[in-house]
Amino acid sequence: MTPVHEVYAIKYAEHERNASANFIGGDAHDGPMPMDYFVWLIRGPSGVWAIDTGFDQEAATARGRRLLRNPATALGLIGESAADIRNVIVTHLHYDHAGNCALFPAATFHLQDREMQFATGRYMAHQCMHAAYDVFDVLRMVGSVYEGRVRFHDGQETLAPGISVHLIGGHTMGLQAVRVHTRRGWVVLASDASHYYRNIGEGKPFPIVHDMGDMVEGWQRIRGLAESPAHVIPGHDPQVLLRYPPPATGLSGIVAALHEDEQQVR
């Protein structure tokens, strides 16, 4: 029997924006479509795994985002401490997914080979390609490599029974999704392979893209990895907190239990 895990999405920041900013060729007349920022946590027989580490107040101020809570300390909302977590899966190295690594001093970071290649290679000489990266976050990850704290993956790999990573690419060269076995079946944390349900559901790519072909083909692979379309969790959609229940009453609108069945959207 494949082990069963709990999976949580924890909101740590938000950004008010219009829908036109979330789709290539978006209509400037479209109305508001805000973006939520999440980190995720897996808890099960193989221990506790964090997925991504978010950004801090300095990055929020520089980029005009509203930081609601430090993503590392927010793990305490569900009883976990960043200082104790031994494994962090980094879906990619963009600023909103790879900051705060210093707050995980005991962790090994799991990263795709191609993401490090991308974030330190020739494409980063172009502002349009490196705009979503923070060079200091990338340098910290390079430092972690030299400290022996990064485990690289090349494509698909099982990290523990019921937890695997899958190279998707598209948004960045080395973007990886995370597949987790839960009591309701296989859940796929798509991260920025699909920022919103509408990206993958309507075939409308998000504007930050390295390889359009990899992005759209990646959607097909993600669908194949998930138990059903309802088991695909996008990386930034406020709908996640509406579709899935909180683990406790006081965490409504902050934490979603993704291993539970979907609830009716309000």
Side-chain angles (χ1 to χ4, degrees), residues 172-211:
T172 71
M173 184 185 290
L175 174 75
Q176 60 184 346
V178 184
R179 186 178 191 236
V180 188
H181 191 247
T182 72
R183 71 166 190 83
R184 70 184 186 102
W186 288 100
V187 168
V188 175
L189 303 174
S191 184
D192 290 4
S194 186
H195 284 63
Y196 295 86
Y197 284 103
R198 288 182 59 190
N199 293 125
I200 188 171
E202 300 178 15
K204 295 181 176 180
F206 191 81
I208 300 177
V209 55
H210 162 64
D211 188 304

Side-chain angles (χ1 to χ4, degrees), residues 85-253:
I85 290 176
R86 306 303 296 266
N87 288 283
V88 176
I89 301 168
V90 181
T91 62
H92 60 303
L93 291 171
H94 278 174
Y95 82 97
D96 53 326
H97 295 260
N100 298 305
C101 287
L103 299 180
F104 294 80
T108 294
F109 299 102
H110 296 263
L111 188 70
Q112 287 284 331
D113 285 324
R114 294 185 200 180
E115 184 63 10
M116 184 61 82
Q117 174 189 341
F118 185 56
T120 59
R122 63 168 59 234
Y123 292 113
M124 294 301 108
H126 305 283
Q127 195 278 335
C128 63
M129 299 297 281
H130 72 232
Y133 288 91
D134 185 313
V135 64
F136 295 105
D137 293 338
V138 176
L139 289 173
R140 288 187 190 99
M141 191 60 70
V142 172
S144 295
V145 173
Y146 277 73
E147 293 169 357
R149 296 180 55 210
V150 177
R151 178 177 166 188
F152 285 104
H153 305 285
D154 182 15
Q156 176 178 325
E157 188 165 344
T158 297
L159 305 186
I163 303 174
S164 57
V165 292
H166 302 261
L167 175 65
I168 302 299
H171 179 64
T172 71
M173 184 185 290
L175 174 75
Q176 60 184 346
V178 184
R179 186 178 191 236
V180 188
H181 191 247
T182 72
R183 71 166 190 83
R184 70 184 186 102
W186 288 100
V187 168
V188 175
L189 303 174
S191 184
D192 290 4
S194 186
H195 284 63
Y196 295 86
Y197 284 103
R198 288 182 59 190
N199 293 125
I200 188 171
E202 300 178 15
K204 295 181 176 180
F206 191 81
I208 300 177
V209 55
H210 162 64
D211 188 304
M212 184 72 74
D214 281 351
M215 177 173 281
V216 298
E217 287 293 308
W219 293 339
Q220 290 293 97
R221 293 174 53 219
I222 285 171
R223 291 187 186 102
L225 291 167
E227 196 82 14
S228 77
H231 289 71
V232 176
I233 310 299
H236 290 274
D237 201 324
Q239 286 281 312
V240 170
L241 292 170
L242 298 177
R243 295 191 184 198
Y244 294 94
T249 304
L251 297 179
S252 181

